[in-house]
Amino acid sequence: MKKKKPIWKKWWLWLVILFVCLNILITNLSESEYDHEQERNELKEGNISTH
């Protein structure tokens, strides 16, 4: 009888984890860049917001 590998030893699980982590990282970086760009535009226009 063939013994099954534990789930954490399967290559596709680590691939899914990698994609999820990259997606989170890219999303956070793009939101952060968007926030900075929005603040720069407000400063240029003289609209300083207090958040």
Side-chain angles (χ1 to χ4, degrees):
M1 184 182 234
K2 197 172 183 181
K3 194 173 181 180
K4 286 186 175 182
K5 282 184 179 180
I7 189 115
W8 63 85
K9 289 190 177 183
K10 298 196 182 262
W11 66 269
W12 52 264
L13 175 71
W14 293 107
L15 186 66
V16 169
I17 291 171
L18 175 68
F19 280 127
V20 169
C21 290
L22 285 175
N23 190 14
I24 291 170
L25 180 67
I26 290 170
T27 302
N28 286 338
L29 288 175
S30 65
E31 285 178 1
S32 175
E33 183 60 34
Y34 175 76
D35 290 343
H36 291 303
E37 187 174 328
Q38 196 172 24
E39 287 175 7
R40 276 189 240 120
N41 289 339
E42 288 175 357
L43 287 174
K44 284 180 186 176
E45 296 170 2
N47 302 330
I48 299 173
S49 63
T50 56
H51 44 73

